[in-house]
Structures are given as C-alpha cells and as structure tokens.
Amino acid sequence: MQEEKDNSHAEINWQLNLIVLWIGSFLACASYTMCIPFLPVFLLQDLHVAQQDVNFWSGLTFSIAFLGAGIMAPYWGARGDKVGQRRMAIRAGFGLAVTYFMTGLCQNAWHLFLVRGFCGLISGFVPASMSLVSSTIPKNKLGWGMGLMQTAIASGNIIGPLLGGYMSSWFGMRMSFFLGGGFLFISTLLVVFLVKDVPHCKTCRAKKNNLFKDIGTALRNADLRYVMCMFFVVQGCIMLIQPLITMYVGELMGKMDDETIQMAGIIFSLAGVAGILASTFWGKQGQKHGYILMFCLVTFSAGIVNLFQYVVQDVYQFALVQFIYGLFLSGAVPNINARLVESTDQAMRGKAFGLLTSAQQLGGVFGPLLGGVFGRYMSTRYVLMLAGCILLTVSVYTYCTKVKGDKAL
C-alpha cells in the first residue's frame, strides 16, 4: 500500500505543479493588490460615502475580511487534508472570483461590507497552493520552492497596484474588480486542468474528522506553535509600518500632494522588488544551513537595518533603508514555511497551513492597530525603530532557544 502511494506520488509532475501554482498565486495576489488598496476611493467615488465616513467604512471592510479569513482558515486547511488541497484551491479560486465580480456590482457601503465578509470566509487560494507545492516538490528542493512561491506573491504585490491605478483612472474602479475576478477565474481554470494532488487513500476520505480535536492535535506540535508565533510577529511588524509610510514620506518631503503619493507608492513597491530579488536566495540558504538559523539571520539583519531610521534625513535615505530592510525580511517567510513543512506530517499539513494563515491574518489585524496607537503618541521614526527592536528580540530569542538550545542537546 505504501509502495503504491509512493509510486503515485512519483508520477506527479512537480515542475508543472510549481509553474501553474506560481502563476496562479501571482495572479491572485495581483488581483488583490489591484483592487483592495483602492477601496477608500471606491467608497468615496462610486458608493458615495461621505468624506468624514470613508475611514470608518474602510477600516470596517478591511477588518471583516481579515476576521473571516482568520476564523475559516483552520477549517479549510483541515478540509483540505481530507479531500485534497487541489480541491481547496479550486473552491477558493472560483469563490473569490465571484466575490470580486460582486464587489464591482455593489451599490452602497453595506453591500461592500457583506461581500468583503463573504470574501474572507471563502478565501484560501494561496495557502492551498503553498500546501500543494510543499506536498509534491522533492524534499531537497523545498527551500528553493518556498522561496520561489514567495516571489510570486511579491511580484503580484508589485504589479497589482500599478494595474489598479491605471485601470481606475482609465475605466473606473468597477472595471478593476471585474478584471481581478477574471484573473482569479483564469488562475483556477489552470489548477483544474493542469495541477495534480497527492493521492488520498479512501480510508482518509471516509474517516470522520473532529475539527477542534484535529486542530488541538496540531497545536500540540511545539514547532508548529513556534512557527505560528513567528509568522504573527513578522506580519505584525510589516503591517505596523505600512499604514504610516505615506504620512512619513509627506513629513520627509514637507508636503502632501500627488508627487508625495507617487513616491510613497514607489517605496511600497520596493518591498516587493526586494522580495523578488532575495526570497529564493534566502530559501536556498535555509535549505543549506538550516531554516531556523537563516530565520534568525534575516530577522536580526532586518532589525539592525531598521534602526538606521534614526539617522534618516530625507525621503531617498528612507527609500534606501526600506529596500535593504526588505531584502533581509523577505527571507523570513520562505524559511518559516519550509520549517513548517519540515516539522509537520503531510496528513496534517493542510491544518498547519490553515493555522499559519490564521496567525498571519491576526498579525494583519493587530499590526495596523498598534501602529496607529503608537503613531499617535510618538514620532513615526520611533515607531519604525520599534519594529526593528521587535525583530531583534525575536531573532535573539529564537537563536538562544531553538538554535543554541538544540546544539546543546
């Protein structure tokens, strides 16, 4: 039985899977960043929300999607372990495509709120794709493969805002949502016709699962708990900074106009460029030297670089610091993902990636809240440095408890 399973696994074209899922993840992330960052404009111009209420509705529509995704991610991950991650990618892809088309048809803020809530509940295309790649790629290429998938996410995050900006100015915001839905539909069709999953035995499909019991079993894995915490911290540090960048660029340039917004957009994209350049490299280094050790190195380096915010005097110095910071921090996620695969059984991997997604979503919720609170009481420069101090603390703690501690044993 085991030999038959291994032979079936060997027949899977992992290179084709990787290519198709890379393209799918790229299009999914491009669809997201093409539309979602412009929701305040959509609320103001298309849904006719009053200027003084835009921030309230923007926060509400962002939060409901994060909340829904965070709640449902463990369930979809566990479901994927039972029926296959390919089916979960198809479910999420077609479901998200529908929500994007529905968003383009919204007529008021309440419609948008409900659609975004449904979007969060149905989401999960990228986590399912990551799980699929990790299950079918050879073990000796795992770090490289996780890094490559991270470049798909980073590339989509760069291209999306550029497409969204032009589409909005040429055809209006609604067309951006329709185009995003089309991208997701195409991505899912590629998965339907070209991607193969690891075969699931009939007994696994017939077995009745207790979601809470299964998640409890997964959470008893100390390595998984650690990976979730690290993912939460990294995502929290990223989102701690992002809401403050535009205002800080305006502060450095001494004005707030179209030129300032364009410069802020360029600086935002630098993180994606850094991810493309460095993610695969750091994944390979993690494969060679150890994922946890490499995670310590990149978070320590990113933390040190962010402390240079203290001496930043103009926007170009800030852009340089942000780019170098991104070069190092882009190595955190692929090594975390690879460590997750290394430390979890394949039968539990969907649940593990689901829990990891929940941790990421929570980091995405708490990061901006903390950034807003700290930004109210201290200079943006010091908030940026605070993110660096958090990363330094995480790095030193991880080295002392995971790297040095394991060597002592």
Side-chain angles (χ1 to χ4, degrees):
M1 181 73 176
Q2 181 64 38
E3 184 179 352
E4 182 181 337
K5 182 180 178 181
D6 292 341
N7 290 338
S8 299
H9 189 287
E11 292 174 2
I12 295 174
N13 187 336
W14 67 266
Q15 293 99 330
L16 180 61
N17 271 12
L18 180 60
I19 291 170
V20 172
L21 293 169
W22 192 98
I23 294 171
S25 296
F26 166 77
L27 291 176
C29 291
S31 299
Y32 179 87
T33 55
M34 184 172 66
C35 302
I36 304 309
F38 301 100
L39 280 182
V41 179
F42 184 59
L43 284 161
L44 188 65
Q45 296 182 355
D46 291 77
L47 303 186
H48 309 296
V49 172
Q51 177 74 51
Q52 63 268 25
D53 296 329
V54 167
N55 287 339
F56 168 77
W57 279 105
S58 295
L60 207 58
T61 53
F62 271 92
S63 297
I64 191 64
F66 276 119
L67 182 63
I71 292 171
M72 292 301 295
Y75 172 77
W76 292 129
R79 184 69 181 165
D81 286 334
K82 185 175 183 180
V83 303
Q85 294 300 332
R86 176 177 171 274
R87 291 189 180 185
M88 289 298 100
I90 293 170
R91 169 202 57 78
F94 283 137
L96 288 171
V98 169
T99 65
Y100 276 65
F101 281 114
M102 289 171 63
T103 303
L105 299 174
C106 287
Q107 298 300 312
N108 58 51
W110 279 108
H111 290 169
L112 181 62
F113 174 78
L114 293 173
V115 170
R116 291 295 299 155
F118 179 66
C119 183
L121 294 175
I122 205 71
S123 65
F125 182 88
V126 172
S129 298
M130 297 289 282
S131 184
L132 262 172
V133 169
S134 72
S135 298
T136 57
I137 197 169
K139 189 175 181 181
N140 64 345
K141 295 183 181 294
L142 180 60
W144 169 80
M146 292 293 100
L148 196 63
M149 288 297 290
Q150 194 62 31
T151 66
I153 296 170
S155 301
N157 289 341
I158 294 171
I159 298 298
L162 297 176
L163 282 175
Y166 283 110
M167 289 297 297
S168 298
S169 61
W170 291 343
F171 305 109
M173 270 298 301
R174 294 186 187 276
M175 184 56 67
S176 295
F177 289 109
F178 294 143
L179 185 62
F183 281 164
L184 282 161
F185 187 77
I186 292 170
S187 303
T188 311
L189 285 179
L190 290 174
V191 175
V192 170
F193 291 111
L194 297 175
V195 169
K196 290 185 178 180
D197 201 352
V198 176
H200 280 61
C201 63
K202 293 181 179 179
T203 54
C204 293
R205 293 183 178 180
K207 181 182 177 182
K208 291 185 178 180
N209 288 358
N210 185 313
L211 176 62
F212 295 106
K213 182 179 179 181
D214 289 343
I215 290 176
T217 301
L219 286 174
R220 282 195 285 273
N221 184 327
D223 280 336
L224 174 58
R225 292 198 304 271
Y226 162 76
V227 169
M228 288 176 62
C229 289
M230 294 305 100
F231 213 108
F232 172 85
V233 170
V234 170
Q235 185 69 9
C237 285
I238 292 171
M239 297 306 297
L240 179 73
I241 293 173
Q242 279 194 0
L244 306 175
I245 286 180
T246 302
M247 297 303 295
Y248 189 50
V249 169
E251 182 182 328
L252 291 171
M253 296 181 69
K255 58 183 179 179
M256 182 59 72
D257 55 14
D258 288 343
E259 183 184 354
T260 303
I261 295 171
Q262 290 170 6
M263 178 59 74
I266 292 171
I267 292 174
F268 268 117
S269 71
L270 287 176
V273 173
I276 293 173
L277 294 174
S279 292
T280 305
F281 170 78
W282 290 122
K284 286 182 179 179
Q285 296 306 307
Q287 182 82 48
K288 185 177 180 180
H289 301 289
Y291 301 120
I292 295 298
L293 180 61
M294 204 51 51
F295 175 77
C296 291
L297 174 63
V298 297
T299 50
F300 185 84
S301 301
I304 289 292
V305 169
N306 226 30
L307 295 182
F308 278 88
Q309 299 289 354
Y310 184 76
V311 298
V312 165
Q313 298 297 322
D314 60 52
V315 71
Y316 300 105
Q317 293 176 358
F318 175 60
L320 178 62
V321 170
Q322 284 297 105
F323 179 70
I324 299 173
Y325 171 74
L327 283 176
F328 286 111
L329 196 60
S330 64
V333 173
N335 280 290
I336 292 174
N337 280 329
R339 175 63 177 179
L340 173 69
V341 175
E342 188 180 60
S343 59
T344 56
D345 185 80
Q346 184 174 305
M348 298 290 289
R349 201 158 291 160
K351 300 179 188 69
F353 270 100
L355 290 166
L356 203 63
T357 302
S358 288
Q360 179 189 21
Q361 300 297 334
L362 289 173
V365 171
F366 284 103
L369 292 176
L370 290 176
V373 171
F374 286 124
R376 188 173 182 179
Y377 297 105
M378 65 175 72
S379 167
T380 303
R381 184 190 305 267
Y382 295 113
V383 178
L384 297 172
M385 293 173 64
L386 174 64
C389 292
I390 293 172
L391 290 172
L392 283 172
T393 302
V394 166
S395 176
V396 172
Y397 171 79
T398 299
Y399 182 80
C400 292
T401 58
K402 294 291 181 181
V403 178
K404 195 174 179 180
D406 289 347
K407 287 180 180 179
L409 294 175

